[in-house]
mmCIF file of all heavy atoms in Angstrom:
data_model
loop_
_atom_site.group_PDB
_atom_site.id
_atom_site.type_symbol
_atom_site.label_atom_id
_atom_site.label_comp_id
_atom_site.label_asym_id
_atom_site.label_seq_id
_atom_site.Cartn_x
_atom_site.Cartn_y
_atom_site.Cartn_z
ATOM 1 N N ALA A 203 -43.391 -18.545 -29.960
ATOM 2 C CA ALA A 203 -44.090 -19.704 -29.669
ATOM 3 C C ALA A 203 -44.968 -19.503 -28.424
ATOM 4 O O ALA A 203 -46.065 -20.039 -28.348
ATOM 5 C CB ALA A 203 -43.001 -20.832 -29.410
ATOM 6 N N ALA A 204 -44.467 -18.712 -27.410
ATOM 7 C CA ALA A 204 -45.276 -18.464 -26.193
ATOM 8 C C ALA A 204 -46.498 -17.743 -26.547
ATOM 9 O O ALA A 204 -47.514 -17.959 -25.971
ATOM 10 C CB ALA A 204 -44.347 -17.701 -25.178
ATOM 11 N N LEU A 205 -46.447 -16.792 -27.419
ATOM 12 C CA LEU A 205 -47.669 -15.881 -27.785
ATOM 13 C C LEU A 205 -48.622 -16.765 -28.501
ATOM 14 O O LEU A 205 -49.817 -16.605 -28.416
ATOM 15 C CB LEU A 205 -47.231 -14.732 -28.614
ATOM 16 C CG LEU A 205 -46.455 -13.586 -27.844
ATOM 17 C CD1 LEU A 205 -45.862 -12.553 -28.753
ATOM 18 C CD2 LEU A 205 -47.425 -12.999 -26.819
ATOM 19 N N LEU A 206 -48.129 -17.728 -29.410
ATOM 20 C CA LEU A 206 -49.076 -18.640 -30.037
ATOM 21 C C LEU A 206 -49.823 -19.483 -29.037
ATOM 22 O O LEU A 206 -50.991 -19.748 -29.163
ATOM 23 C CB LEU A 206 -48.378 -19.465 -31.080
ATOM 24 C CG LEU A 206 -48.312 -19.034 -32.549
ATOM 25 C CD1 LEU A 206 -47.627 -17.646 -32.622
ATOM 26 C CD2 LEU A 206 -47.672 -19.989 -33.524
ATOM 27 N N ALA A 207 -49.079 -20.023 -28.050
ATOM 28 C CA ALA A 207 -49.759 -20.846 -27.072
ATOM 29 C C ALA A 207 -50.768 -20.008 -26.234
ATOM 30 O O ALA A 207 -51.788 -20.535 -25.911
ATOM 31 C CB ALA A 207 -48.644 -21.414 -26.125
ATOM 32 N N GLU A 208 -50.379 -18.790 -25.936
ATOM 33 C CA GLU A 208 -51.274 -17.901 -25.178
ATOM 34 C C GLU A 208 -52.593 -17.706 -26.004
ATOM 35 O O GLU A 208 -53.671 -17.710 -25.502
ATOM 36 C CB GLU A 208 -50.547 -16.607 -24.876
ATOM 37 C CG GLU A 208 -51.349 -15.615 -24.078
ATOM 38 C CD GLU A 208 -50.520 -14.387 -23.781
ATOM 39 O OE1 GLU A 208 -49.660 -14.440 -22.919
ATOM 40 O OE2 GLU A 208 -50.749 -13.329 -24.433
ATOM 41 N N SER A 209 -52.399 -17.514 -27.327
ATOM 42 C CA SER A 209 -53.560 -17.233 -28.154
ATOM 43 C C SER A 209 -54.504 -18.472 -28.249
ATOM 44 O O SER A 209 -55.677 -18.404 -28.246
ATOM 45 C CB SER A 209 -53.086 -16.798 -29.590
ATOM 46 O OG SER A 209 -54.153 -16.751 -30.435
ATOM 47 N N ARG A 210 -53.875 -19.651 -28.309
ATOM 48 C CA ARG A 210 -54.646 -20.887 -28.306
ATOM 49 C C ARG A 210 -55.556 -21.004 -27.092
ATOM 50 O O ARG A 210 -56.664 -21.404 -27.162
ATOM 51 C CB ARG A 210 -53.760 -22.083 -28.387
ATOM 52 C CG ARG A 210 -53.090 -22.273 -29.693
ATOM 53 C CD ARG A 210 -52.491 -23.655 -29.917
ATOM 54 N NE ARG A 210 -51.456 -24.034 -28.992
ATOM 55 C CZ ARG A 210 -50.125 -23.773 -29.192
ATOM 56 N NH1 ARG A 210 -49.771 -23.201 -30.326
ATOM 57 N NH2 ARG A 210 -49.265 -24.106 -28.336
ATOM 58 N N GLU A 211 -55.020 -20.498 -26.004
ATOM 59 C CA GLU A 211 -55.745 -20.585 -24.691
ATOM 60 C C GLU A 211 -56.742 -19.505 -24.541
ATOM 61 O O GLU A 211 -57.897 -19.722 -24.151
ATOM 62 C CB GLU A 211 -54.756 -20.537 -23.522
ATOM 63 C CG GLU A 211 -55.370 -20.767 -22.129
ATOM 64 C CD GLU A 211 -54.398 -20.746 -21.011
ATOM 65 O OE1 GLU A 211 -53.227 -21.094 -21.265
ATOM 66 O OE2 GLU A 211 -54.845 -20.573 -19.820
ATOM 67 N N SER A 212 -56.426 -18.282 -24.881
ATOM 68 C CA SER A 212 -57.278 -17.148 -24.670
ATOM 69 C C SER A 212 -58.310 -16.986 -25.796
ATOM 70 O O SER A 212 -59.334 -16.308 -25.558
ATOM 71 C CB SER A 212 -56.465 -15.836 -24.541
ATOM 72 O OG SER A 212 -55.874 -15.486 -25.801
ATOM 73 N N GLY A 213 -58.024 -17.400 -26.977
ATOM 74 C CA GLY A 213 -58.852 -17.148 -28.147
ATOM 75 C C GLY A 213 -58.687 -15.773 -28.838
ATOM 76 O O GLY A 213 -59.449 -15.398 -29.706
ATOM 77 N N THR A 214 -57.761 -14.950 -28.351
ATOM 78 C CA THR A 214 -57.516 -13.698 -28.898
ATOM 79 C C THR A 214 -56.899 -13.780 -30.293
ATOM 80 O O THR A 214 -56.013 -14.602 -30.547
ATOM 81 C CB THR A 214 -56.463 -12.884 -28.080
ATOM 82 O OG1 THR A 214 -57.060 -12.733 -26.708
ATOM 83 C CG2 THR A 214 -56.228 -11.484 -28.580
ATOM 84 N N THR A 215 -57.425 -12.971 -31.247
ATOM 85 C CA THR A 215 -56.920 -13.051 -32.663
ATOM 86 C C THR A 215 -55.540 -12.535 -32.716
ATOM 87 O O THR A 215 -55.147 -11.487 -32.127
ATOM 88 C CB THR A 215 -57.813 -12.121 -33.548
ATOM 89 O OG1 THR A 215 -59.181 -12.540 -33.535
ATOM 90 C CG2 THR A 215 -57.265 -12.098 -34.962
ATOM 91 N N LEU A 216 -54.636 -13.394 -33.261
ATOM 92 C CA LEU A 216 -53.218 -13.087 -33.277
ATOM 93 C C LEU A 216 -52.759 -13.015 -34.714
ATOM 94 O O LEU A 216 -52.982 -13.967 -35.535
ATOM 95 C CB LEU A 216 -52.410 -14.103 -32.539
ATOM 96 C CG LEU A 216 -50.905 -14.111 -32.558
ATOM 97 C CD1 LEU A 216 -50.396 -12.856 -31.909
ATOM 98 C CD2 LEU A 216 -50.288 -15.311 -31.872
ATOM 99 N N LEU A 217 -52.088 -11.930 -35.070
ATOM 100 C CA LEU A 217 -51.424 -11.747 -36.407
ATOM 101 C C LEU A 217 -49.895 -11.659 -36.249
ATOM 102 O O LEU A 217 -49.495 -11.108 -35.272
ATOM 103 C CB LEU A 217 -51.962 -10.378 -37.051
ATOM 104 C CG LEU A 217 -53.391 -10.345 -37.657
ATOM 105 C CD1 LEU A 217 -54.370 -10.253 -36.557
ATOM 106 C CD2 LEU A 217 -53.429 -9.108 -38.488
#
Side-chain angles (χ1 to χ4, degrees):
L205 289 169
L206 265 63
E208 183 177 285
S209 176
R210 290 196 295 270
E211 183 175 341
S212 68
T214 302
T215 300
L216 176 63
L217 284 72

